[in-house]
Amino acid sequence: GMVSNWTKIPPPLFKKIVVVLIDALRDDFVFGSKGKQFMPYTTQVVEKGTSYSFIAEAKPPTVTMPRIKALMTGSIPGFIDVIVNLNSPALLDDNLIWQAKTAGKRIIFYGDDTWVKLFPKHFVEYDGTTSFFVSDFTEVDDNVTRHLDKVLKREDWDLLILHYLGLDHIGHMTGPNSPLVGPKLREMDNILKKIHISLLSKEEASLPNLLVVCGDHGMSETGSHGGSSEGEVHTPLLFISSAFEKRSGPLTQPELVQQTDLASTLAVGLGLPISRNSVGNLILPVVGGKTMREQLRFVHLNGFQLSRLLQDNTPAYEKDPGYEHFKIAEKSHGNWIKLYLEGNNSEILLNLGKKVLKQYLEALKTLSSSLSKQVAQYDMYSMMVGTVIIMEVMLLLLLSVPKALSSRAEFEVPLFSPLFSLLFYLMCLMLCAVHVIVCTSAESLCYFCTMSWLTAVGVMMLISALMCGILSAIAKIFENSRLPQKHLVVTSSSWSEIDVLILAGTFGHVLSLGASSFIEEEHQTWYFLINTLCLALCQELCRNNFLLKENDPQHSTTVKEHCDSIGEASECKNIDISAAGNSKLGKATSSAEFIKGSDKWISLASPWIILICCRLLRSLNQTGVQWAHRPDFGHWLTSSEHKSELSFLAAVSLLMIFFLVQRRCSLVSKIAMALGLLGVYSYRAAIGNVIFPWQHDSKDISKGITEARFVYVFVLGIVFTGTKDLLKSQVISADSSLKSTGLWEVYSGLVLLAALLFRPHNLPVLVFCLLIQTMMTKYIWRPLKLDAAQITIMHYWFGQAFFYFQGNSNGIATVDVSAGFVGLESYVEIPAIFLTAFATYAGPLLWAIHLLCYLNSEVNRNSASVGHGCFCYALMRSIPVAIYIVLVTGLRYHLFIWSVFSPKLLYEGVHVFITAAICLFFTTMDQNHSHKVQD
């Protein structure tokens, strides 16, 4: 007792440890009614065996790779790991696997190949399975289980890790209430029984073995994950070993622990150092059978590691309550050791030991909580550089509005002229000096500083050029405002109710992004805006039908100034002149007599019909956070008892899609569309979602690969036919009707692809999307002669609303990963990412392509209308993204930064890429018009 054992790591507590990680294992799958029904052996061990049960809470994002990192390092991964999850790099942080390998432990792994990517060359034996091919429920687990019999008989390993993916794949494809979940849980129960019995039979007197059962994350009510709902963050954590006492007495609710606590607990169990960056606490019951001296030693090691981590991350660590508690507990521990070494075995020693243990546990809890809040280290310099560039681009877009929305649709960014100005060089020098000062004085690693000097100087030049361009644009606006405007035709330029609504709605939505609740329930904002828009359109239609007289020239809400006559004047509000060459009086007259007969009443009824459609769509999918758990029509349809109703709805929806799309297609495309939609139904019947009338059940379930590929052939055929017509119209002859047909066929091909990727209960979303577009085109936009900017913003608003009508939200859990594997036999990264992105953003995409079809089909429009549409669409996407980036940077220490703001930022980022692709397509289609304007 006189020699200090300070530097010695305590010996291992277990000889062999088996970790069974069941992907997407929710806590109620083990502790709830499903566990009792389908996992009888595990339930028996939990209730009456030698085990300890806990509910482990995972932090968002609840996707596999960040959760494996948390389990093995004890740290909280960054949100960027959601993207890195697709192709995981090797883990360089201190972790349990590296520590075990360094200590000479032999580790065997079977399962999700994410582990092999994270820990290359760490396993003495491994067999990885592809984690992203979610159509595979059985082989992915059979490939793990086939190794079990052999490996359990062997003695040449210390740590065995098994990662089963089948349950997660079932969740993605069919949800947590699927009839496939029960058999899979029974399969897992039998595997756990086999491992447990084998470990018990091979135990020696010296050291027992340990079986750990856990999930990396749970699943939501729709079967997905990534968010922060209770079903996604709560997973079971079981420790089963003969070293523990048999459970007795009534079963209590399992204690809640953090998922990061497993790394510290396993490190102690294997006799390894606790990972350097771990914020987890030792789960005390696991070492509860040891002597008081050993228990105090374990919690002291954990406390020492956490206090060191706090010192590294916090300058004023001595004032931290957790650190103060730890120092008090350490002093009490010293007093206890003195008494112990004096040979005092009285009740006082035991009570003092319990008191010290309690002090340590409180200190660990406070330290862990403090570190979890401080663990996010932000690279502010890199973030500020990115934010400055984004804000400069947005300002340039805003300053370009007058010229870009004039009848010539000119959009020029003066980046080259500033290159010869003195201001540009002065700004470059100043920014380079700032860069040198920041990079040489920065204590933490900075991403922008790790770039090559050539890249850094290029970025500084871009910032300087953009700033000079902004100043130049502002100077031109002031210069033009001073010039006498001789040719200005004085007309009423009062804003219509629609203009006011569009402006107020856009800025209202942008401001709402600063509140976490508005982001969680953003769908409510868009539902409100499109409902209000329908009412405003109804008022406009009534005014045009009843209040306007044939000779009334005063109606000027849709009559704008001629931008050609005022050039670049900043107050020009015109977007395009709907009927090029028409006089204002002629336009007003034509507006007054635009509808006759029955069409007039259909036109007046159309906003109300659209409102009814939107209300029905809201009932289909509950989304957001607050009310996502409420039952909706989609859940009712997808339940196994209502398969015939779902089949009928899917069949009717597919017929409606054909009826609404085929009207402007060529004969070949009509046939291809009909066969393609038949193939969609056949695919859903093959995978068991729907049934044919002559089928009584769907026993012969397959992956539907042949049927899906059959549909892909027709999608490609229709898109190819449309592309051929577009190329003809662009290169051979400037035929506007051929161009319109080509665009519509491309659009039809995308509709067919969406029909294939959408789940059957979501097909009415596609039907209502096409129905609303048809009604608004024929009975609202054409009669009202709205300009291109107004129509573009309406398309954008409806696209955003349909994003949420699909069942999407700002949480990652609502992404339907299964859409990325339709028709794929194995995981292929690029097609899977493309299909998943298309299925997720189908609403905004289809409305954007419909906008292009509409603007091209309107022959009486100004030739610059497509350019106006493209510019407005880019502007509508840029404003919220730019402002949101500023807001999220300011709110980086907000309580919900990882669960609410970060997922939204991820969605916005992907949406920007898709918008860029759409704008590129718009620009390509507008080339012919731009040549005409220049001529």
Side-chain angles (χ1 to χ4, degrees):
M2 299 304 292
V3 181
S4 170
N5 65 350
W6 179 259
T7 55
K8 289 182 185 174
I9 296 168
L13 307 178
F14 304 100
K15 188 186 177 190
K16 290 179 185 291
I17 295 182
V18 180
V19 178
V20 180
L21 195 157
I22 303 169
D23 212 291
L25 185 68
R26 277 192 350 187
D27 61 331
D28 60 332
F29 286 176
V30 174
F31 303 130
S33 57
K34 279 192 173 77
K36 286 177 181 166
Q37 187 181 353
F38 300 114
M39 302 186 79
Y41 184 80
T42 308
T43 304
Q44 186 191 351
V45 171
V46 165
E47 290 179 355
K48 295 170 186 174
T50 54
S51 68
Y52 287 109
S53 312
F54 303 94
I55 293 174
E57 185 179 28
K59 299 287 183 194
T62 45
V63 292
T64 297
M65 194 271 275
R67 303 283 45 91
I68 294 172
K69 272 191 179 182
L71 287 164
M72 292 298 108
T73 63
S75 59
I76 299 169
F79 205 86
I80 195 69
D81 286 325
V82 172
I83 300 165
V84 181
N85 186 53
L86 296 168
N87 191 12
S88 314
L91 181 60
L92 301 176
D93 292 356
D94 186 9
N95 60 78
L96 184 78
I97 302 293
W98 182 83
Q99 290 284 5
K101 184 176 182 281
T102 307
K105 304 283 183 188
R106 294 155 300 176
I107 314 164
I108 294 177
F109 171 77
Y110 304 119
D112 184 351
D113 61 1
T114 306
W115 288 78
V116 182
K117 293 172 186 173
L118 284 172
F119 309 107
K121 301 177 183 176
H122 286 67
F123 306 118
V124 292
E125 188 181 309
Y126 64 87
D127 183 13
T129 56
T130 305
S131 56
F132 291 105
F133 187 49
V134 298
S135 302
D136 181 9
F137 304 156
T138 51
E139 287 173 29
V140 75
D141 287 346
D142 292 344
N143 285 336
V144 178
T145 310
R146 67 194 172 109
H147 299 285
L148 263 184
D149 289 329
K150 286 181 184 176
V151 83
L152 289 172
K153 288 173 187 173
R154 286 158 45 187
E155 294 291 333
D156 60 343
W157 56 270
D158 302 295
L159 177 60
L160 172 65
I161 302 170
L162 309 169
H163 188 149
Y164 284 95
L165 287 160
L167 184 66
D168 178 64
H169 291 184
I170 288 169
H172 280 298
M173 293 298 285
T174 59
N177 300 314
S178 161
L180 298 170
V181 169
K184 179 56 69 178
L185 291 175
R186 193 174 282 116
E187 180 192 336
M188 294 296 105
D189 190 53
N190 292 330
I191 288 162
L192 293 174
K193 183 179 179 180
K194 180 190 283 187
I195 295 167
H196 187 214
I197 291 168
S198 174
L199 288 177
L200 287 173
S201 66
K202 289 186 170 288
E203 266 188 8
E204 296 170 7
S206 56
L207 278 178
N209 297 323
L210 174 67
L211 170 61
V212 179
V213 183
C214 61
D216 53 347
H217 51 75
M219 63 172 81
S220 66
E221 284 305 310
T222 57
S224 196
H225 55 89
S228 56
S229 69
E230 195 172 303
E232 293 164 81
V233 298
H234 284 175
T235 63
L237 177 58
L238 310 179
F239 294 92
I240 305 167
S241 173
S242 60
F244 308 145
E245 290 180 9
K246 258 198 172 183
R247 296 187 69 92
S248 59
L251 187 68
T252 55
Q253 176 69 17
E255 186 188 337
L256 188 71
V257 296
Q258 294 300 310
Q259 197 179 55
T260 48
D261 297 344
L262 182 65
S264 308
T265 309
L266 287 182
V268 169
L270 285 164
L272 303 171
I274 297 170
S275 301
R276 178 186 175 84
N277 296 316
S278 171
V279 296
N281 294 344
L282 175 67
I283 300 170
L284 195 65
V286 177
V287 297
K290 296 295 168 182
T291 64
M292 182 58 74
R293 187 180 186 186
E294 286 176 301
Q295 287 185 52
L296 290 173
R297 174 84 171 109
F298 297 144
V299 289
H300 177 259
L301 275 171
N302 194 188
F304 184 75
Q305 173 262 327
L306 289 172
S307 63
R308 284 291 296 274
L309 184 61
L310 187 75
Q311 287 175 45
D312 293 343
N313 287 283
T314 312
Y317 65 90
E318 289 175 348
K319 292 178 182 177
D320 187 270
Y323 187 80
E324 288 173 354
H325 289 165
F326 174 68
K327 284 297 170 188
I328 293 165
E330 202 173 39
K331 197 174 279 185
S332 302
H333 189 186
N335 294 333
W336 186 90
I337 288 285
K338 280 179 189 173
L339 281 172
Y340 176 81
L341 293 177
E342 287 169 6
N344 190 333
N345 292 319
S346 65
E347 193 75 23
I348 299 166
L349 187 70
L350 182 64
N351 290 337
L352 182 61
K354 285 179 181 176
K355 184 187 172 185
V356 175
L357 199 59
K358 193 178 178 184
Q359 285 178 332
Y360 267 133
L361 291 174
E362 283 177 9
L364 291 179
K365 195 174 179 181
T366 315
L367 279 167
S368 182
S369 175
S370 180
L371 283 163
S372 297
K373 289 171 187 170
Q374 295 174 10
V375 80
Q377 292 182 343
Y378 296 101
D379 179 2
M380 278 310 297
Y381 179 50
S382 303
M383 287 167 74
M384 290 305 294
V385 169
T387 305
V388 165
I389 294 170
I390 287 161
M391 292 306 291
E392 285 181 332
V393 171
M394 188 191 74
L395 275 171
L396 266 176
L397 280 170
L398 288 170
L399 291 168
S400 305
V401 167
K403 285 186 76 174
L405 299 184
S406 67
S407 60
R408 294 182 69 85
E410 294 173 338
F411 177 59
E412 292 176 6
V413 180
L415 285 183
F416 293 103
S417 53
L419 295 178
F420 303 101
S421 67
L422 179 63
L423 179 64
F424 169 75
Y425 292 109
L426 285 172
M427 283 192 70
C428 272
L429 280 171
M430 187 182 76
L431 290 171
C432 287
V434 170
H435 184 68
V436 171
I437 292 164
V438 171
C439 291
T440 51
S441 61
E443 292 178 5
S444 57
L445 188 67
C446 171
Y447 173 72
F448 191 39
C449 293
T450 57
M451 288 182 171
S452 67
W453 269 101
L454 198 65
T455 311
V457 170
V459 172
M460 299 305 171
M461 287 175 72
L462 175 65
I463 292 171
S464 305
L466 285 168
M467 184 53 72
C468 291
I470 288 165
L471 295 172
S472 171
I474 291 168
K476 276 187 181 178
I477 288 170
F478 276 110
E479 191 181 321
N480 290 326
S481 65
R482 288 175 189 166
L483 290 172
Q485 296 171 2
K486 294 176 184 176
H487 306 290
L488 183 64
V489 181
V490 180
T491 58
S492 170
S493 61
S494 62
W495 285 46
S496 70
E497 287 88 344
I498 291 172
D499 291 330
V500 173
L501 173 63
I502 282 170
L503 192 71
T506 302
F507 284 102
H509 167 252
V510 169
L511 291 173
S512 75
L513 296 176
S516 59
S517 298
F518 276 93
I519 292 172
E520 286 177 340
E521 309 300 324
E522 192 185 350
H523 59 285
Q524 302 283 10
T525 305
W526 289 113
Y527 296 167
F528 172 77
L529 287 176
I530 60 168
N531 289 348
T532 313
L533 178 64
C534 286
L535 293 173
L537 289 169
C538 184
Q539 183 197 16
E540 197 73 15
L541 286 163
C542 289
R543 180 185 290 143
N544 275 272
N545 275 287
F546 300 120
L547 302 180
L548 209 77
K549 295 184 179 174
E550 195 172 325
N551 58 353
D552 180 12
Q554 298 303 313
H555 176 64
S556 57
T557 55
T558 56
V559 181
K560 315 290 186 194
E561 302 99 307
H562 285 283
C563 277
D564 283 333
S565 62
I566 60 171
E568 298 165 356
S570 61
E571 62 269 17
C572 171
K573 196 168 73 71
N574 181 41
I575 282 77
D576 81 309
I577 300 159
S578 298
N582 283 9
S583 68
K584 293 178 193 58
L585 182 61
K587 184 179 169 186
T589 307
S590 64
S591 297
E593 51 181 24
F594 69 99
I595 295 177
K596 299 200 174 159
S598 61
D599 278 2
K600 172 181 173 179
W601 299 106
I602 297 171
S603 177
L604 289 168
S606 54
W608 300 100
I609 296 168
I610 291 165
L611 278 171
I612 292 165
C613 292
C614 292
R615 184 64 194 86
L616 290 170
L617 285 171
R618 286 179 69 170
S619 304
L620 188 64
N621 292 305
Q622 286 285 1
T623 186
V625 173
Q626 300 294 330
W627 298 280
H629 63 281
R630 287 189 179 178
D632 53 40
F633 190 50
H635 276 104
W636 185 85
L637 284 169
T638 50
S639 63
S640 51
E641 309 92 68
H642 303 120
K643 192 173 275 190
S644 54
E645 289 91 339
L646 178 64
S647 304
F648 176 74
L649 183 69
V652 170
S653 298
L654 292 170
L655 283 170
M656 289 285 290
I657 289 166
F658 176 73
F659 175 74
L660 290 164
V661 166
Q662 55 81 35
R663 66 188 192 281
R664 283 168 61 187
C665 292
S666 63
L667 181 64
V668 175
S669 293
K670 283 179 184 178
I671 295 165
M673 177 62 74
L675 291 170
L677 291 170
L678 187 65
V680 169
Y681 193 89
S682 303
Y683 166 73
R684 288 296 165 187
I687 64 170
N689 292 147
V690 298
I691 51 172
F692 282 110
W694 55 86
Q695 276 183 307
H696 295 293
D697 52 30
S698 50
K699 283 180 184 173
D700 302 325
I701 294 174
S702 71
K703 292 179 186 175
I705 289 166
T706 308
E707 292 85 349
R709 288 180 179 177
F710 176 77
V711 179
Y712 283 138
V713 169
F714 290 113
V715 169
L716 291 171
I718 294 167
V719 171
F720 176 76
T721 308
T723 309
K724 184 188 71 177
D725 289 345
L726 287 174
L727 288 170
K728 265 189 192 175
S729 69
Q730 294 282 84
V731 180
I732 300 168
S733 63
D735 186 353
S736 60
S737 64
L738 191 65
K739 188 175 182 180
S740 293
T741 307
L743 277 170
W744 187 259
E745 286 183 337
V746 170
Y747 175 71
S748 304
L750 295 177
V751 168
L752 179 57
L753 180 60
L756 174 66
L757 299 180
F758 275 21
R759 298 203 180 200
H761 76 277
N762 256 350
L763 287 172
V765 176
L766 205 52
V767 173
F768 283 128
C769 173
L770 295 167
L771 184 65
I772 291 169
Q773 286 171 352
T774 306
M775 291 189 73
M776 293 194 87
T777 301
K778 192 172 180 183
Y779 298 112
I780 296 177
W781 292 326
R782 279 178 187 156
L784 289 179
K785 299 187 185 298
L786 298 170
D787 57 42
Q790 290 171 323
I791 288 167
T792 300
I793 293 166
M794 287 181 200
H795 273 84
Y796 178 80
W797 279 19
F798 272 96
Q800 289 298 100
F802 270 84
F803 174 80
Y804 295 105
F805 284 142
Q806 286 175 238
N808 291 319
S809 72
N810 287 324
I812 294 163
T814 50
V815 176
D816 183 11
V817 181
S818 63
F821 303 92
V822 173
L824 299 183
E825 263 181 316
S826 59
Y827 175 62
V828 189
E829 193 168 311
I830 292 171
I833 291 169
F834 169 77
L835 292 172
T836 305
F838 179 84
T840 306
Y841 291 93
L845 259 168
L846 291 176
W847 277 90
I849 304 300
H850 183 269
L851 170 67
L852 186 57
C853 293
Y854 175 78
L855 293 175
N856 267 289
S857 66
E858 296 294 283
V859 289
N860 62 335
R861 279 192 176 273
N862 186 343
S863 60
S865 62
V866 174
H868 294 158
C870 178
F871 179 82
C872 285
Y873 201 85
L875 191 65
M876 286 299 292
R877 190 85 285 276
S878 303
I879 293 170
V881 169
I883 302 298
Y884 186 68
I885 284 169
V886 174
L887 287 170
V888 89
T889 305
L891 295 166
R892 62 190 179 279
Y893 294 112
H894 193 282
L895 182 63
F896 300 130
I897 186 66
W898 300 117
S899 57
V900 177
F901 292 101
S902 294
K904 170 68 178 168
L905 188 63
L906 195 61
Y907 272 108
E908 292 294 315
V910 177
H911 202 167
V912 165
F913 276 108
I914 289 168
T915 304
I918 290 166
C919 290
L920 195 66
F921 188 45
F922 266 73
T923 309
T924 309
M925 292 301 101
D926 197 34
Q927 277 180 351
N928 197 31
H929 283 226
S930 62
H931 291 317
K932 281 185 187 177
V933 171
Q934 283 167 14
D935 294 342

